[in-house]
Amino acid sequence: MSRLSRRDLLRALGGTAVAAGVGVPFARGVRGATSTGAPLPSRLPLPRPYQRPLTLPETLRAGPGGLYTIVQRPGVAEILPGVRTPIWGYQGRFPGPTLRSRSGQEIVVRHRNELPVPTVVHLHGGHTPAADDGFPTDLVFPVGTGPVQAHAGHHDPLARVAIGSRDHRYPMRQRAATLWYHDHRMDFTGPDVWRGLAGFHLIGDDEEDRLPLPRGDRDLPLMITDRSFAADGSLAYPVRGDGPGVTTRYAAGVLGDVIVVNGVAWPYREVPAVRHRLRLLNASNARRYRLTLDPPPPGGPAFAQIGTDGGLLAAPVWHDAVEIAPAQRFDVVVDFGRYRPGSIVRLVNTWGTGGTRDVLEFRVGAPAPDGTAVPARLSEVPPAEVPVTTRTFRLRHDPVRGMTGWTIDGKPFDPALSVARPRLGQPELWRLGSDFHHPVHLHLAPFRVLSRGTGGPGAYDHGWKDTIDLRPAEQAALLVRFDDYAGRFLLHCHNLEHEDMAMMAAFTTT
Ligand code: C2O
Ligand code: CU
Ligand code: CU
């Protein structure tokens, strides 16, 4: 196995011709350098975009006693028209069913594992007790696994291993927001999510309900992912032998060449000429997007951003384009009433080329009554507090166990090692530094971005975030306060290849 030298990486980042025996490990062109990763070409003919309608994942209903049950199992999906693609899914679907919960109302979700591998589910953006959060070694082994098998081979003395199923208690002591749930198995999150283990979890509350925002079928959760396909229609993923991680060529991230929204390649949606809320989620392993409307609407910016990872902004922020890194959410309102009926309006990724530029097509229909508005005040967001502790974390490319990998402060992920012990209730300043693109995510608490480099927060840093889009050679400062739950949580890069190749660290709140 060849290892990338630091020089190869820097050369790739410099955008000069790179062969270096391992191909071009990082996204083309760094003038472009819009994503850190390597393109994985599909091996079957790809369809024309915009042939099939957008679908919306079904809402999961609670069973007796209010218990939600999700079965993780293999399924078959039609992602490309007429092509049967085996997937792993929550309820055998990709995306999984949408959960809808209410702020302040605890729910319990039972996950039953009928897949051939152990899994562990995490509610991303959840303010969740440690035992329910989905720590990467808290594995649920498949139904029928023997106890000896389940306890062998793990070196984390604190792991809470289960067989068959686990009940996750989510107190939901948090505001309305667009969350998502996905697999978090140590070393294998990239392939597991790529195979389909991801779904939406939408929290509602009274504050949001009082606003005149679009709702019902004018409120569209959009899970945007990129995927690549093998010749037989299965999902391609460049696994490294039977161990964790990907081949060296893809060590920086896997970039698919098909853009899949809610499980359908390049869908279209017919919309009445009224305001819609789009809940944009980038659930891609490594790809970053710059989303805009083509053509742009007459008379003003395309998007009114009303929310982000941690829910509503204080006031709307207007954008012509939205830059979205893996795991981030942007809730935007688009007014299709500004287009002439019959218009074709595309949500495009201006950082993509060819098929990765196309995302989703809206076919604007007739005007309809529209009682919605984008209010000038959305929510109360308190002023940032004064931190009492400062910590620094450096994210960078490093060899890990003799192979190419990614570390935080030079250390590969060790589940048994806590790199910080934040006190509950105390505001902290977290300084992050990066070498390449690293979408850095914290569990348990949302944060505020205070600065990037020597400037203030960026155009996409408004509101409560749980994932910051760190760009190459960038530094940022976050203000975070962990509350309520003592225990073991995570800080990690949400480029899933980086995460699997060790760019993760545990911290323990006390
Ligand atoms: Cu979206 Cu630690 O995960
Ligand atoms: Cu998370
Ligand atoms: Cu990273």
Side-chain angles (χ1 to χ4, degrees):
M1 183 77 43
S2 63
R3 191 204 298 172
L4 294 175
S5 74
R6 182 146 191 91
R7 209 180 70 220
D8 294 333
L9 295 176
L10 294 173
R11 271 201 306 186
L13 193 72
T16 50
V18 175
V22 291
V24 182
F26 288 82
R28 325 157 269 247
V30 176
R31 252 175 343 212
T34 53
S35 295
T36 291
L40 175 65
S42 289
R43 301 288 178 207
L44 43 60
L46 296 177
R48 273 184 298 111
Y50 315 129
Q51 294 184 47
R52 290 162 64 227
L54 178 77
T55 54
L56 299 175
E58 271 168 40
T59 297
L60 188 71
R61 304 263 160 246
L67 179 71
Y68 291 88
T69 303
I70 293 181
V71 181
Q72 308 178 359
R73 56 181 169 81
V76 175
E78 189 181 351
I79 300 169
L80 298 170
V83 176
R84 288 167 58 85
T85 299
I87 56 133
W88 289 353
Y90 297 110
Q91 308 291 60
R93 311 284 300 250
F94 167 52
T98 298
L99 280 104
R100 290 174 194 270
S101 62
R102 280 307 279 186
S103 175
Q105 293 181 12
E106 177 170 303
I107 65 166
V108 177
V109 183
R110 174 169 299 165
H111 275 267
R112 181 177 157 87
N113 181 3
E114 296 184 2
L115 290 166
V117 298
T119 60
V120 54
V121 71
H122 166 61
L123 175 58
H124 182 121
H127 182 55
T128 307
D132 300 276
D133 192 48
F135 196 81
T137 51
D138 288 351
L139 297 172
V140 178
F141 283 80
V143 174
T145 309
V148 179
Q149 247 177 306
H151 287 89
H154 271 276
H155 305 292
D156 176 11
L158 298 176
R160 285 171 283 245
V161 165
I163 294 174
S165 77
R166 170 175 291 136
D167 290 356
H168 292 260
R169 183 173 69 90
Y170 298 125
M172 295 288 133
R173 288 162 60 182
Q174 58 188 115
R175 57 209 292 265
T178 302
L179 308 190
W180 62 303
Y181 62 101
H182 61 76
D183 192 64
H184 218 307
R185 174 167 56 130
M186 181 170 161
D187 297 341
F188 295 95
T189 297
D192 289 356
V193 171
W194 185 269
R195 281 181 158 114
L197 290 171
F200 276 106
H201 183 136
L202 310 180
I203 310 175
D205 67 8
D206 297 343
E207 180 186 48
E208 183 184 66
D209 283 352
R210 280 193 294 268
L211 297 174
L213 297 171
R215 53 191 83 217
D217 60 1
R218 299 174 184 180
D219 174 355
L220 304 175
L222 301 174
M223 181 187 288
I224 302 174
T225 57
D226 59 346
R227 293 290 184 269
S228 299
F229 294 82
D232 62 1
S234 63
L235 290 163
Y237 190 80
V239 287
R240 173 159 72 183
D242 49 8
V246 289
T247 57
T248 307
R249 183 182 164 79
Y250 292 97
V254 179
L255 304 175
D257 59 1
V258 175
I259 305 300
V260 177
V261 184
N262 293 353
V264 174
W266 303 297
Y268 70 84
R269 173 85 176 178
E270 288 169 358
V271 289
V274 296
R275 277 185 208 89
H276 282 67
R277 174 178 185 169
L278 310 182
R279 299 178 189 248
L280 305 169
L281 158 64
N282 180 359
S284 307
N285 283 31
R287 183 178 293 280
R288 299 167 67 248
Y289 300 77
R290 183 174 181 276
L291 299 170
T292 188
L293 295 177
D294 178 19
F303 304 115
Q305 185 194 348
I306 56 166
T308 187
D309 306 346
L312 291 172
L313 304 183
V317 177
W318 295 85
H319 301 285
D320 288 318
V322 166
E323 296 179 7
I324 183 168
Q328 291 189 314
R329 286 87 70 209
F330 285 84
D331 278 27
V332 299
V333 173
V334 170
D335 185 2
F336 292 107
R338 288 188 286 169
Y339 291 96
R340 229 179 259 128
S343 300
I344 299 287
V345 179
R346 288 175 178 163
L347 182 69
V348 295
N349 168 29
T350 63
W351 283 340
T353 51
T356 60
R357 187 175 192 276
D358 290 301
V359 179
L360 169 63
E361 180 175 280
F362 294 101
R363 302 179 180 172
V364 181
D370 187 0
T372 70
V374 176
R377 297 297 309 165
L378 293 164
S379 177
E380 228 34 78
V381 176
E385 302 164 288
V386 179
V388 297
T389 308
T390 301
R391 304 178 196 273
T392 304
F393 299 97
R394 306 222 143 267
L395 292 98
R396 63 165 201 242
H397 172 262
D398 260 328
V400 172
R401 290 176 284 273
M403 291 193 276
T404 188
W406 302 90
T407 61
I408 298 177
D409 286 341
K411 291 189 284 284
F413 178 52
D414 173 354
L417 176 76
S418 267
V419 299
R421 300 195 165 268
R423 295 275 298 272
L424 292 172
Q426 287 199 347
E428 300 202 350
L429 185 73
W430 285 30
R431 294 187 181 281
L432 307 175
S434 69
D435 54 356
F436 297 107
H437 291 103
H438 297 296
V440 182
H441 170 51
L442 298 191
H443 286 217
L444 184 61
F447 54 79
R448 313 276 284 272
V449 179
L450 299 181
S451 64
R452 281 182 184 263
T454 53
Y460 304 105
D461 293 333
H462 294 274
W464 292 104
K465 307 292 289 181
D466 62 42
T467 306
I468 178 173
D469 179 19
L470 266 191
R471 291 162 306 191
E474 192 170 45
Q475 268 142 57
L478 315 178
L479 187 82
V480 63
R481 194 189 69 217
F482 301 102
D483 283 310
D484 299 329
Y485 307 121
R488 201 162 61 147
F489 295 94
L490 287 171
L491 147 76
H492 65 91
C493 180
H494 222 289
N495 173 316
L496 298 183
E497 282 72 42
H498 297 192
E499 175 181 332
D500 284 347
M501 288 183 290
M503 194 171 253
M504 185 148 61
F507 63 87
T508 302
T509 53
T510 60

